[in-house]
Amino acid sequence: MENRNFHQTWFLTRFSLKRDWLKLALWSVTLIVLFAAVAAKFTTIYDTQASIDEIVKTLKSPSMVSLFGKLSGSAPYSTADVFAGEMTVFMAMMAAIMNFSIIIKNTRGEEDSGLLEIIQSHSVGKLSNLSSSLIELFIINLLIGFFYALGLQFANLTGTDTNGNFLLGLGLGAAGFMFATIAAFLSQLVDNSRSATILSYIVFGIMYIARMSTDVSNPKATWFIPFGWVEKFSTYQENNWLPVVLMLGLSLILSIAALWINDHRDIGSGIIATRPGRAKASAFLRGPLSLFWRLHRTTIIVWVIGLLILGFTYGSIFNTIGDILKTNPAMEKLIGATAVHKANILIIKHFVAILMIVFGVLALFPGIQIINYLKSGESKGYLELIHSKPVSRDYLFTSVLVLGILTSLIALFAGMLGLQLGGASVMKHPVAMSVFLHGFYAYISPVLIILALSACIVGWLPKFAVFGYLYTGFALFVGYFGKLIDLPKWVAKITPFGYIPNVPVRKLDMGTMWWQLGIALTLIIIGYIGYHIRDLKSAN
Amino acid sequence: MMNQNNNAILHIDHLQKNFGKFQALKNVTFDVYPGEVFGFIGPNGAGKSTTIRTLLGILRASGGTATLFGKDVYKDSVSIHKRLAYVPGDVYLWPNLTGGEIIDLFLKLGNTKHNRKTDMMIKRFQLDPTKKARTYSKGNRQKVALIAAFSTDADFYIFDEPTSGLDPLNEEIFQQSVMELKKEGKAVLLSSHILSEVEKMCDRIGIIRSGEIVETGSLSDMRHLTRTVIEFQTMQPTTELQTLQGVHNVTVGTNGLTTFSVDSDQMSYVMGYLASKQIVSLQSTPPTLEDLFMRYYSSNEGR
């Protein structure tokens, strides 16, 4: 503590924990409850060996491996094995989102807002803020991991053992901390929190895609991907602690690297510096719509290209998924080549039906972000000068709405296009684009409902703007997991996606589409009214 | 009075604004005329920015009326804003856009374009327009908003504490630029804490306290409400001075000089008293805006 670089680190850690307690509590409780609740539920769903064998067969199919990671070990499988197989990758993804948002906010974010400068002006070490943020997240991840382990102990699934419970729990905690250090390191490279967030998610996306393709093609190669380490726990089988050691080792290296860069740079700067730009606005930048496009340009491009790549990667495993001959070589003789092809296509369609919710939700995020800009830009004070110009509120509202809707739809379309192209790159008889377009058309109305809901909230209750994300996240959870954890049917009906089941296996229902569009339109109109009459907040 | 109302650019009558139960504006009433700089002063939290935001149609008034160019500030905000320029106290700019881009965007939003005056203003304020807004200091961010406002051909200008981040040199440039607007017959509403600035530039002043306008008028109109500070020496002792009506803060200095302040309306009586004691030396300091300001704010009883 005498070291001047780390002076007051503990004090800042305690301070951060106190300042962030609500956020940390919400995240921890949500994750722990989710994890434990699913575990508890599993005891009732997969109680017979027959039901376990059934789900194992599903989980071993390439499509499921691409979504949930490779199920480790060998038969006979127990309920606990199924649980670990289904939940590990998903919980690690959740951990990444949580850790990214908190660490970037507490390091780069504090630097952007100038708060760090005030803190640094006191008797505080140069590296104290970064190190205290890392310690804060270490503590939180450790606690979450510990509670995961406890939850598993209490759920007492068939086939668990204490070693495995703690391995899975603490392993997921370690993964969370590893993501925190990745983001902390990347935050040192760029000079603002927005770029840090984008960069972190790009790295995460690359790891996700790499993990997915190695899982399907060559599981050993997954060892080279930090995100893939969580799949290597082999929980309840070999109970391998090596991945945890690797994760902590990488975390340590990244922490040291981040601290080193932080020590060698000036406050507010990064390795990749912001360059000067143009002295005059381009002819294109001329009004709210072009301004909002300009502000979200990078985000939009990253999401659209990201979804295209994700789609392509999923598409490129279609040949593995849609090949029933692999598992059943006698099939061709039995039903003939055409029938086999049809059956293959059907399997792929079923896979696409599961993917639809993933693409739908991912496409929604940038759209919601753009619509919520009316709130975030307002509370940060960016819009105050716009409000003093001859630009009507209706026009502003329309601008974000149009841009948000276009972004979500284009991102969704990019995902579908990626799937088709990915499939075409590996299959002799690729799935026609029309199949994916069916999925796209069917998803337009639920996507619009959620965007309209966000617009409505921004219009009336900007304080609750985050609800759009939560609702979307909920839709993802239900769509992704709903069948696996046997959620009651009405739960799916809480989100608009619940009314569009199994597209593109089933055709789009025009009636559903019309009433959903009607709801979306109503919400938008209500939002317009709210935004028209409410007071606009200011930064101070 | 009716006549005056008719040619006022800004007319505010009993404006009220509540945030929940909190009454941010209780009674705000004043007018601003063409070719005048109206100083809007008051302590922090008195309601200056709330008033301005209501005038901009960002907030909706809970009561009273406010019109700009004869139009309702909320309902007709878009057409009003065509002839209005505004600089907020805290300027927040999009971090990833350059100053130059933001200036041009603001001009385009106001249906004008980057013009000769824009270049002149950029030069005058010595702003580097190629830098991204995230690298600007507070003063530089204010310059961006000021340059955009000054190169807009508006009829009404609102400045909300615009010089709080500027250095004295740029403050001077700001004052000079406002004076040019005044010469062109534009109306300016200037909210400020820098009383010397207000004193120097403003034709009339409105003082707001706890959501109420407590005084409006020209500085000279207001002087009668203030106290003059007098420093004097007399042959005979002035023991009764303290007891005289309108006399405050009598202090006897070590050098034999006595200082006190006197209400303007009691001036002649007190002078008569001092003269009767054979004045040796006398120096009077005219009331400054600061005295006025202090008098309204420091005491709870007001006037």
Side-chain angles (χ1 to χ4, degrees):
Chain A
M1 287 310 293
E2 276 311 295
N3 189 326
R4 57 178 189 88
N5 268 343
F6 294 99
H7 192 56
Q8 299 278 35
T9 298
W10 286 113
F11 172 78
L12 284 181
T13 310
R14 284 202 308 274
F15 171 72
S16 316
L17 286 168
K18 210 153 90 187
R19 178 194 57 197
D20 297 338
W21 77 269
L22 184 64
K23 202 195 306 176
L24 296 173
L26 283 177
W27 266 112
S28 314
V29 169
T30 311
L31 291 182
I32 293 165
V33 166
L34 180 71
F35 190 77
V38 173
K41 183 104 207 207
F42 264 48
T43 49
T44 54
I45 321 171
Y46 302 118
D47 48 353
T48 64
Q49 194 59 41
S51 63
I52 292 172
D53 291 343
E54 183 70 21
I55 189 75
V56 165
K57 219 164 79 192
T58 313
L59 285 178
K60 285 213 157 178
S61 69
S63 58
M64 285 296 153
V65 169
S66 72
L67 288 170
F68 295 97
K70 196 159 175 60
L71 190 65
S72 53
S74 52
Y77 289 99
S78 63
T79 319
D81 294 322
V82 174
F83 176 78
E86 275 184 25
M87 291 298 283
T88 309
V89 168
F90 183 81
M91 292 313 289
M93 282 165 61
M94 287 298 174
I97 297 170
M98 172 187 118
N99 282 284
F100 282 176
S101 78
I102 296 176
I103 192 98
I104 292 172
K105 167 85 192 23
N106 287 6
T107 57
R108 255 315 155 184
E110 297 282 275
E111 220 167 309
D112 283 354
S113 63
L115 276 172
L116 187 58
E117 205 169 310
I118 301 175
I119 291 172
Q120 295 281 47
S121 72
H122 292 89
S123 161
V124 163
K126 199 174 170 199
L127 303 179
S128 303
N129 183 61
L130 178 54
S131 45
S132 71
S133 306
L134 288 169
I135 295 171
E136 177 190 6
L137 284 171
F138 185 80
I139 294 172
I140 285 305
N141 283 301
L142 185 68
L143 272 178
I144 291 176
F146 186 71
F147 276 105
Y148 283 166
L150 277 189
L152 288 173
Q153 287 286 68
F154 279 110
N156 198 19
L157 299 166
T158 337
T160 46
D161 54 76
T162 308
N163 189 8
N165 289 344
F166 277 88
L167 170 63
L168 185 55
L170 295 178
L172 284 171
F177 183 62
M178 177 181 74
F179 288 126
T181 59
I182 289 175
F185 172 73
L186 295 173
S187 298
Q188 301 302 317
L189 300 183
V190 290
D191 65 359
N192 62 86
S193 58
R194 233 173 78 105
S195 306
T197 307
I198 292 173
L199 193 59
S200 299
Y201 278 102
I202 288 177
V203 168
F204 179 77
I206 292 170
M207 288 199 294
Y208 181 86
I209 285 169
R211 187 240 92 226
M212 178 173 88
S213 34
T214 55
D215 272 349
V216 176
S217 59
N218 180 12
K220 276 207 182 113
T222 312
W223 276 104
F224 291 107
I225 302 143
F227 184 25
W229 290 338
V230 290
E231 299 174 45
K232 301 298 183 187
F233 295 152
S234 193
T235 319
Y236 307 124
Q237 300 267 345
E238 289 151 39
N239 282 339
N240 188 355
W241 283 84
L242 177 64
V244 182
V245 176
L246 285 176
M247 288 191 281
L248 292 177
L250 180 66
S251 305
L252 188 67
I253 293 169
L254 287 172
S255 301
I256 292 169
L259 287 166
W260 188 85
I261 298 174
N262 195 7
D263 193 29
H264 286 80
R265 69 174 178 85
D266 291 333
I267 194 164
S269 72
I271 302 287
I272 305 162
T274 303
R275 280 171 315 197
R278 38 199 319 155
K280 291 186 181 185
S282 72
F284 178 71
L285 180 62
R286 54 185 316 111
L289 191 58
S290 52
L291 171 69
F292 294 145
W293 155 254
R294 178 63 209 279
L295 295 175
H296 296 102
R297 192 172 57 188
T298 322
T299 316
I300 294 172
I301 292 172
V302 165
W303 278 94
V304 169
I305 293 181
L307 282 182
L308 188 72
I309 295 173
L310 186 68
F312 192 88
T313 333
Y314 275 123
S316 62
I317 56 172
F318 280 174
N319 59 337
T320 331
I321 293 164
D323 191 356
I324 53 170
L325 296 182
K326 231 183 213 167
T327 44
N328 209 340
M331 202 72 117
E332 186 156 13
K333 276 186 194 148
L334 278 175
I335 59 174
T338 327
V340 165
H341 180 67
K342 264 193 185 156
N344 283 343
I345 296 285
L346 189 64
I347 293 177
I348 291 172
K349 278 187 180 174
H350 274 289
F351 180 47
V352 173
I354 305 172
L355 287 180
M356 279 311 299
I357 185 73
V358 178
F359 284 103
V361 165
L362 289 179
L364 271 169
F365 280 119
I368 295 175
Q369 193 190 346
I370 291 167
I371 288 172
N372 280 1
Y373 187 74
L374 273 194
K375 187 257 172 178
S376 57
E378 180 181 320
S379 54
K380 282 181 186 157
Y382 294 147
L383 292 181
E384 180 156 354
L385 273 160
I386 301 272
H387 291 317
S388 77
K389 300 287 171 194
V391 174
S392 70
R393 293 180 180 203
D394 293 347
Y395 189 30
L396 282 178
F397 195 82
T398 311
S399 299
V400 292
L401 202 59
V402 167
L403 192 65
I405 289 174
L406 280 180
T407 301
S408 283
L409 293 184
I410 290 171
L412 182 62
F413 182 80
M416 297 298 109
L417 185 66
L419 281 175
Q420 205 276 333
L421 294 177
S425 73
V426 293
M427 296 165 79
K428 257 187 265 166
H429 304 287
V431 184
M433 188 62 200
S434 63
V435 171
F436 303 103
L437 283 179
H438 270 304
F440 174 69
Y441 294 143
Y443 262 51
I444 290 178
S445 61
V447 162
L448 285 182
I449 286 191
I450 292 189
L451 290 177
L453 181 70
S454 294
C456 184
I457 292 170
V458 163
W460 286 95
L461 299 161
K463 246 197 279 182
F464 299 103
V466 73
F467 181 78
Y469 291 115
L470 296 178
Y471 190 49
T472 313
F474 175 74
L476 176 66
F477 177 74
V478 173
Y480 208 74
F481 272 121
K483 285 196 192 107
L484 293 179
I485 61 171
D486 204 22
L487 281 176
K489 283 229 170 66
W490 60 265
V491 176
K493 302 273 179 194
I494 299 176
T495 80
F497 294 108
Y499 298 87
I500 320 278
N502 248 343
V503 176
V505 181
R506 282 181 18 184
K507 282 259 167 76
L508 143 79
D509 177 46
M510 291 308 277
T512 312
M513 189 188 82
W514 284 118
W515 70 251
Q516 291 210 332
L517 288 180
I519 289 180
L521 188 68
T522 315
L523 287 170
I524 288 172
I525 292 170
I526 295 172
Y528 262 108
I529 297 170
Y531 194 66
H532 199 85
I533 60 174
R534 81 168 160 90
D535 281 347
L536 302 170
K537 304 278 182 306
S538 301
N540 46 355
Chain B
M1 200 62 203
M2 223 21 237
N3 202 9
Q4 273 191 326
N5 282 349
N6 285 341
N7 66 28
I9 283 188
L10 170 66
H11 177 61
I12 307 181
D13 192 18
H14 289 91
L15 192 68
Q16 291 172 348
K17 176 68 195 173
N18 306 330
F19 293 113
K21 277 184 186 161
F22 174 66
Q23 262 197 305
L25 301 181
K26 288 174 198 149
N27 176 12
V28 174
T29 305
F30 66 87
D31 293 337
V32 178
Y33 301 97
E36 93 170 339
V37 180
F38 188 89
F40 193 35
I41 61 178
N44 296 324
K48 295 190 298 295
S49 292
T50 304
T51 307
I52 288 174
R53 292 201 176 107
T54 311
L55 296 184
L56 289 169
I58 293 174
L59 300 177
R60 202 149 72 131
S62 314
T65 57
T67 58
L68 262 165
F69 314 117
K71 294 171 183 167
D72 183 277
V73 290
Y74 190 83
K75 276 189 222 138
D76 299 317
S77 64
V78 174
S79 64
I80 289 173
H81 291 179
K82 283 181 186 157
R83 301 168 59 192
L84 175 147
Y86 166 60
V87 176
D90 293 299
V91 180
Y92 296 94
L93 305 174
W94 300 279
N96 52 338
L97 266 60
T98 66
E101 284 180 300
I102 294 171
I103 291 171
D104 288 3
L105 173 74
F106 285 154
L107 290 174
K108 284 178 191 172
L109 286 173
N111 300 324
T112 41
K113 272 188 184 136
H114 191 104
N115 50 45
R116 220 167 36 80
K117 204 167 173 198
T118 317
D119 289 326
M120 189 185 87
M121 282 295 167
I122 290 177
K123 219 167 155 191
R124 218 189 238 189
F125 280 104
Q126 297 197 322
L127 179 87
D128 179 352
T130 64
K131 280 192 169 168
K132 293 270 167 78
R134 73 163 54 89
T135 65
Y136 283 140
S137 64
K138 178 178 165 95
N140 277 333
R141 288 201 305 270
Q142 276 179 332
K143 284 185 199 173
V144 169
L146 285 170
I147 290 167
F150 281 126
S151 55
T152 304
D153 183 30
D155 294 311
F156 189 63
Y157 292 79
I158 300 177
F159 298 107
D160 190 0
E161 294 174 36
T163 54
S164 48
L166 296 185
D167 59 43
L169 204 71
N170 282 302
E171 209 180 304
E172 189 70 39
I173 293 171
F174 167 75
Q175 294 175 1
Q176 183 197 335
S177 306
V178 171
M179 285 323 203
E180 285 170 15
L181 294 180
K182 191 180 152 180
K183 264 186 222 136
E184 291 167 31
K186 317 281 193 179
V188 177
L189 176 64
L190 171 67
S191 139
S192 178
H193 270 137
I194 304 166
L195 298 174
S196 60
E197 183 176 272
V198 174
E199 209 161 15
K200 199 151 110 193
M201 299 165 63
C202 297
D203 305 287
R204 287 193 313 126
I205 292 158
I207 300 178
I208 185 169
R209 202 182 67 168
S210 314
E212 258 178 299
I213 293 280
V214 286
E215 200 62 58
T216 47
S218 68
L219 195 58
S220 52
D221 283 348
M222 284 187 195
R223 293 215 204 265
H224 76 275
L225 297 165
T226 59
R227 297 165 186 170
T228 306
V229 176
I230 290 176
E231 193 181 55
F232 73 96
Q233 196 172 16
T234 48
M235 298 292 280
Q236 295 164 26
T238 51
T239 39
E240 300 93 341
L241 182 62
Q242 212 142 15
T243 61
L244 294 181
Q245 216 190 350
V247 172
H248 311 268
N249 309 329
V250 181
T251 47
V252 182
T254 45
N255 49 5
L257 291 174
T258 307
T259 314
F260 68 97
S261 50
V262 56
D263 289 349
S264 300
D265 48 357
Q266 297 294 323
M267 184 83 94
S268 51
Y269 179 75
V270 174
M271 282 299 129
Y273 169 78
L274 287 184
S276 71
K277 302 291 179 187
Q278 291 176 292
I279 298 169
V280 178
S281 76
L282 185 137
Q283 201 182 353
S284 81
T285 317
T288 61
L289 188 56
E290 191 156 336
D291 300 326
L292 193 73
F293 196 81
M294 291 305 175
R295 200 170 150 209
Y296 275 114
Y297 301 150
S298 53
S299 62
N300 281 329
E301 67 268 27
R303 45 185 92 187

